[in-house]
Amino acid sequence: MPEPEPEPGTVPAAAHAVSGAAIHLENLTKRFPGSSAPAVDCVNMEIRAGELVVFVGPSGCGKTTTMKMINRLIEPTSGRIRIDGEDVTGMDPVRLRRKIGYAIQQSGLFPHMTVAQNIALVPRMTGWSKARTGTRVDEMLDLVGLDPGEFRARYPRQLSGGQQQRVGVARALAADPPVLLMDEPFGAVDPITRDHLQDELIRLQHELHKTIVFVTHDFDEAIKLGDRIAVLRERSHIAQFDTPEAILTNPADDFVSGFVGAGAALKRLNLTRVRDVGVSAFPTATVDDPLQSIFDQLRTGTTNEVLLLDRHRRPYKWLRRGDLMRAKGSLARAGTLVHDTVTRDATLRDALEAVLIDNAGRVAVTGRRGEYEGVVDMETLMNSVHELLEADRLDAAEHQHLLEEQRSQQTRQEQEGCAPGEPGEEG
Amino acid sequence: MTWRTRRPPPEGERPAGEHEVHGIAFRDPETPEEPPPAAPAGRRVGPAKLTVLPSFLLLLLLGTWLWFRGAHLDAIAHNAIADGNVWLRLRQHIVLTVLSTVLVLVIAIPLGVLLTRRRLRPATPVVVAVANIGQATPAIGLLALLVIWMGIGMRAALVGIVVYAVLPVLSNTMAGLRAIDPTLAEAARGIGMSPLGVLFKVELPLAVPLILAGVRTALVLNVGTATLAYFGGGGGLGDLIASGITNQRMPVLVLGSVLTVALALLVDWLASLAELLLRPRGLEAGD
């Protein structure tokens, strides 16, 4: 799919606008009738176009309510929502919702409609022709990794949980909305499938650059997916709204650090890729090398081990000094097979796991074609993690000061903006 | 493809789930998603469903006819069934049943829809109580009252039958609409369906199985209640039964009863077919 760069400020109605739209929440408040305390109290937030923002917080903190006010499934009591600069608070909610994709837990697919009918709903409602909708359905199924020929005519009941969730995302994206709201969409699938779906979402977002608001109570999911994370406490008060790195290394207060939980340093490993740390070279030989040269290499080299590569230069075996002797000079029998490698795109956490499992504490790094690129061992990993955390700390110190300024500004705004409870419009 | 690829085994061949494209090793996700259940086997209406009851009815009618031919009919009995009277009463009965059912549907389904809308929900207990009264009153007493009010004829009978059968359809419609997962209705609103769109595209189709079950109950109920129409001068097979009883002519009574029973069974069978065929696909249980 061609991938035009997202331009800020593109009109979302344009047929194939690839970029998302910015969302502004201004003093957004919701009071439910019959309860004195507001469920959502004066939320101010700016979500940039093309950004994936995760609302995360304990259950009952109002994160879902806040999200549902964006497409006005819940009417705000007061405050304003702007999408792409346009005030949508007074707009016809039905028209508004057709421009906002909506994906929920357990997919929300209609059981009496086929997969194709489900996906076609929004395009048909917005007046697309049958033919155009038909091709769009196939396109969307392709996009979420389902074979249109196989799945088009199925009913939701005939799909696995993960497949249903994929179709749910396809339906939400079908009319190419600039904004996508996702309400714990992966909450009801098993952990392995959830992991795949999260990877898929990252890939999709990489292609589409929608503005996505994603609600979850799983902080790890938030770290994995979010460009920025809004940690919400009760009544949807924003405890911290920042990048995952900043939240992990510099939680704003005890509430946030409590929510980040133990092992922040370990979680930090998820945010750095192998390509960001040093990959060291390792003596190598290929299977086609004459046996004698491998012998020589082992005997004279600085290490007592070489990495044997196959004909495509992919890591094949770890060969120690004594191995060849023991196998009586047969390369086929000597050494231990390489059973795990990481790519440069793997997270440090993956690399660390591979290193921990390996009995010599190192793992081969491969390129896109699986060809050898270097080796990461425990020592480099440790060093880079220390450097990383140190850099984070420095950043944090700088940030701290900025944050405090921001917070004092927010407090001022709240005092001026919507301090006295404005009369509710309903109930 | 996962980030961390497993090593290829030494000799060219790749293990199951791994394949090579232009020298790049791909591995299928470690745990493939559970295979979806097989598509439900083709037809919804089996041959047994289509044949058993009709053949039973045929046998029943044939047996009655044979017995009737052999039975001794005196003038009174003969009079009761002469001049196509049986055919006339049967037709009247069918008209009563069909008309009353149509009226019941026209009244009860929209009422059920309205009562499940948020704004009218407070009215629900009142309406259901009224419908309950309609069903709780003995049908014959109700009919007598209606005849006093509306005079003798088919009209009073029709109203009586309708009042009697509104409740099952109404309560089933409401139950069907209420049984819909609220998150589904919200999803429908969330993707931008108008309130009417939600009702007609999502709620009603999903409620169809329960609504149809109510309709089936009403139909069978109506076939039975229609026999009482005779007492209000509404005609129907009740005429044969009543004259059989009052004149103590067994064959006439049996004929009327058997025809009523056969009609009720036939209607129930047709309704069950409709239930199977009209149920939205994708809702079948057991697949």
Side-chain angles (χ1 to χ4, degrees):
Chain A
M1 193 184 273
E3 207 175 301
E5 272 307 300
E7 289 172 48
T10 322
V11 183
H16 267 275
V18 182
S19 86
I23 304 172
H24 293 254
L25 309 183
E26 295 168 12
N27 298 336
L28 206 58
T29 300
K30 177 67 189 177
R31 267 191 201 83
F32 284 110
S35 71
S36 53
V40 172
D41 187 19
C42 206
V43 174
N44 285 286
M45 194 182 278
E46 189 189 325
I47 298 168
R48 296 183 208 116
E51 187 178 36
L52 199 164
V53 166
V54 182
F55 289 180
V56 67
S59 41
C61 72
K63 52 190 191 294
T64 300
T65 310
T66 309
M67 192 203 73
K68 281 181 181 169
M69 281 196 279
I70 296 176
N71 67 357
R72 295 192 28 230
L73 274 176
I74 294 175
E75 289 288 346
T77 311
S78 63
R80 274 205 292 191
I81 305 149
R82 287 174 194 280
I83 294 181
D84 219 26
E86 185 192 356
D87 188 347
V88 297
T89 329
M91 186 179 168
D92 171 25
V94 172
R95 248 184 63 223
L96 171 69
R97 286 180 206 135
R98 286 180 190 173
K99 291 203 293 180
I100 298 179
Y102 187 54
I104 59 169
Q105 196 170 5
Q106 286 171 334
S107 82
L109 295 180
F110 303 126
H112 60 296
M113 297 183 193
T114 61
V115 165
Q117 286 167 335
N118 264 294
I119 299 175
L121 273 171
V122 190
R124 293 295 289 156
M125 283 190 294
T126 40
W128 291 28
S129 71
K130 259 204 175 111
R132 186 174 167 213
T133 309
T135 46
R136 182 67 176 170
V137 166
D138 290 0
E139 215 177 290
M140 292 325 290
L141 280 173
D142 262 338
L143 186 70
V144 295
L146 296 174
D147 174 27
E150 192 184 343
F151 288 96
R152 212 188 286 121
R154 292 226 192 149
Y155 285 96
R157 211 181 252 274
Q158 300 161 336
L159 303 178
S160 71
Q163 289 165 343
Q164 286 185 20
Q165 215 57 63
R166 282 163 198 261
V167 177
V169 172
R171 182 176 72 181
L173 288 170
D176 206 17
V179 175
L180 186 59
L181 305 181
M182 306 184 90
D183 189 1
E184 301 205 29
F186 310 143
V189 292
D190 63 272
I192 296 165
T193 311
R194 186 184 315 151
D195 218 47
H196 286 312
L197 289 172
Q198 288 166 347
D199 289 339
E200 291 276 294
L201 181 65
I202 294 171
R203 178 182 62 80
L204 273 181
Q205 174 63 351
H206 210 74
E207 270 178 42
L208 302 175
H209 303 288
K210 303 284 181 196
T211 306
I212 301 181
V213 177
F214 190 105
V215 167
T216 181
H217 59 258
D218 178 356
F219 193 70
D220 291 325
E221 185 169 63
I223 292 175
K224 183 167 178 186
L225 296 176
D227 293 326
R228 286 197 292 166
I229 299 175
V231 184
L232 305 178
R233 61 170 103 221
E234 71 283 7
R235 283 189 248 153
S236 229
H237 279 302
I238 301 173
Q240 190 168 8
F241 184 29
D242 215 327
T243 58
E245 288 88 344
I247 290 180
L248 280 176
T249 51
N250 182 35
D253 54 23
D254 287 349
F255 175 81
V256 178
S257 50
F259 207 80
V260 168
L266 215 52
K267 284 172 186 166
R268 180 68 182 82
L269 293 182
N270 270 333
L271 297 172
T272 310
R273 309 262 164 195
V274 171
R275 81 168 86 81
D276 304 328
V277 305
V279 174
S280 46
F282 201 81
T284 59
T286 65
V287 279
D288 291 336
D289 284 350
L291 215 54
Q292 191 55 47
S293 79
I294 300 176
F295 261 123
D296 291 345
Q297 208 178 349
L298 278 172
R299 217 169 306 142
T300 57
T302 45
T303 57
N304 58 355
E305 194 174 27
V306 296
L307 178 59
L308 196 62
L309 309 177
D310 68 5
R311 283 185 191 90
H312 299 285
R313 291 196 56 77
R314 290 179 299 215
Y316 169 34
K317 275 178 175 180
W318 300 102
L319 216 56
R320 281 171 186 274
R321 199 167 284 172
D323 286 346
L324 268 178
M325 303 292 282
R326 248 172 273 130
K328 301 193 177 78
S330 152
L331 262 187
R333 266 179 285 158
T336 45
L337 283 176
V338 173
H339 45 77
D340 216 351
T341 62
V342 293
T343 65
R344 280 178 179 273
D345 287 324
T347 62
L348 283 195
R349 195 189 181 120
D350 284 342
L352 181 65
E353 196 186 334
V355 165
L356 287 175
I357 290 169
D358 191 273
N359 46 20
R362 74 275 190 261
V363 63
V365 179
T366 57
R368 277 186 50 223
R369 291 157 190 280
E371 77 278 12
Y372 165 82
E373 287 201 342
V375 164
V376 171
D377 59 18
M378 199 51 137
E379 207 186 323
T380 28
L381 221 49
M382 290 274 282
N383 288 342
S384 14
V385 170
H386 281 303
E387 273 168 36
L388 222 76
L389 291 177
E390 193 52 45
D392 280 348
R393 257 190 290 279
L394 285 178
D395 268 0
E398 217 170 294
H399 206 79
Q400 186 79 40
H401 154 92
L402 221 104
L403 207 74
E404 261 154 35
E405 209 167 83
Q406 212 173 23
R407 231 176 298 155
S408 65
Q409 197 183 342
Q410 200 181 340
T411 322
R412 221 178 307 133
Q413 215 171 21
E414 267 167 41
Q415 280 164 348
E416 290 163 9
C418 61
E422 281 159 48
E425 280 150 35
E426 41 165 58
Chain B
M1 187 188 169
T2 48
W3 287 123
R4 284 162 54 192
T5 46
R6 281 288 154 87
R7 272 311 61 231
E11 260 66 67
E13 285 294 298
R14 294 191 175 277
E18 214 173 85
H19 32 101
E20 192 176 320
V21 182
H22 301 305
I24 308 172
F26 283 95
R27 187 169 174 79
D28 294 338
E30 301 280 315
T31 41
E33 290 179 4
E34 78 245 34
R43 298 204 302 177
R44 316 161 130 202
V45 183
K49 178 89 203 159
L50 280 175
T51 51
V52 172
L53 194 109
S55 34
F56 168 73
L57 284 182
L58 267 180
L59 284 177
L60 178 73
L61 291 175
L62 192 71
T64 316
W65 183 66
L66 286 175
W67 174 77
F68 203 77
R69 266 178 30 141
H72 171 72
L73 295 180
D74 57 14
I76 296 175
H78 191 76
N79 207 23
I81 59 168
D83 300 330
N85 193 31
V86 176
W87 184 232
L88 171 75
R89 298 305 178 199
L90 184 63
R91 262 193 350 237
Q92 278 177 340
H93 204 99
I94 291 172
V95 166
L96 272 174
T97 307
V98 170
L99 262 183
S100 60
T101 306
V102 168
L103 283 174
V104 165
L105 299 191
V106 167
I107 294 168
I109 293 180
L111 196 61
V113 169
L114 284 178
L115 289 179
T116 47
R117 301 303 97 184
R118 200 190 307 178
R119 271 178 220 159
L120 286 173
R121 231 170 270 169
T124 308
V126 182
V127 177
V128 171
V130 170
N132 251 323
I133 291 172
Q135 205 186 24
T137 355
I140 191 122
L142 187 70
L143 201 64
L145 287 175
L146 282 169
V147 166
I148 293 169
W149 180 39
M150 299 171 73
I152 279 183
M154 208 177 203
R155 217 156 55 111
L158 216 50
V159 172
I161 298 170
V162 169
V163 168
Y164 198 58
V166 156
L167 184 71
V169 180
L170 177 67
S171 59
N172 268 37
T173 304
M174 284 167 57
L177 289 172
R178 279 191 193 139
I180 294 168
D181 184 356
T183 57
L184 223 50
E186 194 180 65
R189 289 204 301 137
I191 64 166
M193 282 192 185
S194 60
L196 274 183
V198 178
L199 177 65
F200 284 107
K201 284 198 198 136
V202 178
E203 289 186 289
L204 282 178
L206 288 176
V208 155
L210 264 177
I211 295 178
L212 281 178
V215 171
R216 186 173 165 188
T217 314
L219 265 171
V220 175
L221 211 62
N222 286 355
V223 174
T225 326
T227 50
L228 300 178
Y230 161 76
F231 298 105
L237 289 170
D239 181 82
L240 290 184
I241 297 174
S243 64
I245 293 173
T246 45
N247 300 326
Q248 299 195 336
R249 289 303 178 271
M250 204 52 169
V252 181
L253 173 60
V254 168
L255 183 67
S257 310
V258 167
L259 281 178
T260 311
V261 168
L263 187 63
L265 287 176
L266 183 73
V267 160
D268 185 54
W269 177 70
L270 287 174
S272 73
L273 280 187
E275 243 180 312
L276 285 173
L277 294 175
L278 293 180
R279 173 192 291 262
R281 300 214 43 199
L283 289 186
E284 278 102 345
D287 63 332

